[in-house]
């Protein structure tokens, strides 16, 4: 089975801090994704990557950046955390091809104080 | 974006009953996917239906797709308490998909 592992289930940080969220997948998937999930808004795509060192903006990239130095690892970076970035963050991966199923990690619930 | 919209937003049924959730979308699609999310967990892929398919089954799940109405439905038969979760449809382009807001299903034992 595909396993997508997010480094933290819960994280508390302060406004202005630089925050790193890590995600690792073990199935050699080409595509990796970062979403945030908020009540009433569903999942919104922040960034995705279809290959090492490649990245594409999603629907809400402002305030975030990403890094993909190795195929199995995709990092989400909050450059200067703000309270409106308090959310559940979900990482996913999928194999290459048309609309392949995505495999999700269990999420990181991030609180910015 | 091609966001799907699920309906109803919340559904409460007794164990053993069937649950039906609907998804509508705005633009043409290549396929449509359904996912489940248990509380506090990530999403789990349930089923994918291609645009040239009308119906697909997987265990107690039945998915239909009507491209002329731009809608899909997910039927869970003989529901169990363990089916309590949020259910999302997802539509989209080549590599990324767009998720709806979801239907929250509660199955009462």
């Amino acid at each position: 089975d595909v396993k997508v592992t997010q480094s933290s289930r819960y994280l508390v940080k302060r406004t202005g801090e630089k925050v790193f969220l890590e995600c690792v997948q073990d199935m050699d998937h080409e595509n990796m994704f970062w979403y945030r999930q908020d009540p009433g808004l569903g999942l919104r795509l922040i960034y995705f990557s279809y290959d090492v060192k490649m990245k594409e903006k999603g629907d809400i990239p402002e305030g975030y950046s990403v890094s993909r130095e190795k195929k199995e690892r995709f990092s989400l970076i909050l450059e200067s955390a703000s309270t409106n970035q308090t959310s559940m963050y979900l990482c996913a991966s999928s194999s290459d091809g048309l609309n392949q199923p995505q495999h999700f990690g269990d999420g990181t619930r991030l609180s910015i104080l | 974006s091609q966001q799907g919209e699920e309906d109803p937003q919340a559904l409460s049924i007794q164990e053993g009953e069937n649950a039906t959730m609907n998804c509508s979308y705005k633009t043409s699609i290549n396929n449509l996917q359904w996912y489940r999310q248990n509380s506090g967990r990530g999403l789990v892929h349930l089923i994918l239906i291609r645009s040239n398919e009308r119906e697909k089954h997987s265990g107690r799940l039945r998915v239909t797709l009507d491209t002329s109405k731009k809608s899909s439905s997910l039927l869970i038969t003989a529901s169990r308490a363990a089916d309590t979760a949020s259910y999302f449809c997802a539509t989209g382009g080549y590599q990324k998909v767009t998720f709806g807001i979801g239907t929250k299903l509660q199955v009462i034992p």
Side-chain angles (χ1 to χ4, degrees), chain B residues 20-32:
Chain B
T20 300
M21 288 157 270
N22 303 297
C23 171
S24 59
Y25 56 91
K26 292 186 170 57
T27 60
S28 60
I29 58 172
N30 294 301
N31 58 47
L32 185 145

Side-chain angles (χ1 to χ4, degrees), chain A residues 87-105:
Chain A
S87 186
M88 170 72 103
Y89 289 87
L90 291 163
C91 175
S93 71
S94 72
S95 56
D96 200 18
L98 186 64
N99 291 153
Q100 293 299 306
Q102 294 189 15
H103 301 265
F104 283 80

Side-chain angles (χ1 to χ4, degrees), chain B residues 82-109:
Chain B
D83 295 327
T84 293
S86 293
Y87 292 82
F88 297 85
C89 67
T91 60
Y94 178 69
Q95 286 155 326
K96 62 181 184 123
V97 297
T98 302
F99 291 84
I101 293 171
T103 292
K104 201 163 189 174
L105 172 67
Q106 182 185 27
V107 180
I108 303 166

Side-chain angles (χ1 to χ4, degrees), chain A residues 21-97:
Chain A
L21 302 183
E22 306 286 347
C23 175
V24 177
Q25 51 97 359
D26 67 358
M27 279 301 290
D28 203 35
H29 281 168
E30 287 77 11
N31 302 320
M32 295 188 75
F33 308 83
W34 275 106
Y35 297 89
R36 64 177 283 177
Q37 184 176 24
D38 300 287
L41 296 176
L43 272 75
R44 292 180 291 168
L45 181 64
I46 304 171
Y47 268 97
F48 71 100
S49 167
Y50 53 87
D51 202 352
V52 175
K53 297 193 187 296
M54 305 303 289
K55 61 185 179 184
E56 292 280 345
K57 291 181 180 180
D59 300 318
I60 52 163
E62 297 79 18
Y64 303 93
S65 63
V66 290
S67 172
R68 192 159 180 209
E69 295 296 319
K70 293 184 178 181
K71 192 173 186 180
E72 67 271 18
R73 187 180 295 270
F74 193 35
S75 303
L76 179 70
I77 304 152
L78 285 65
E79 298 291 343
S80 177
S82 63
T83 54
N84 63 11
Q85 292 178 309
T86 291
S87 186
M88 170 72 103
Y89 289 87
L90 291 163
C91 175
S93 71
S94 72
S95 56
D96 200 18

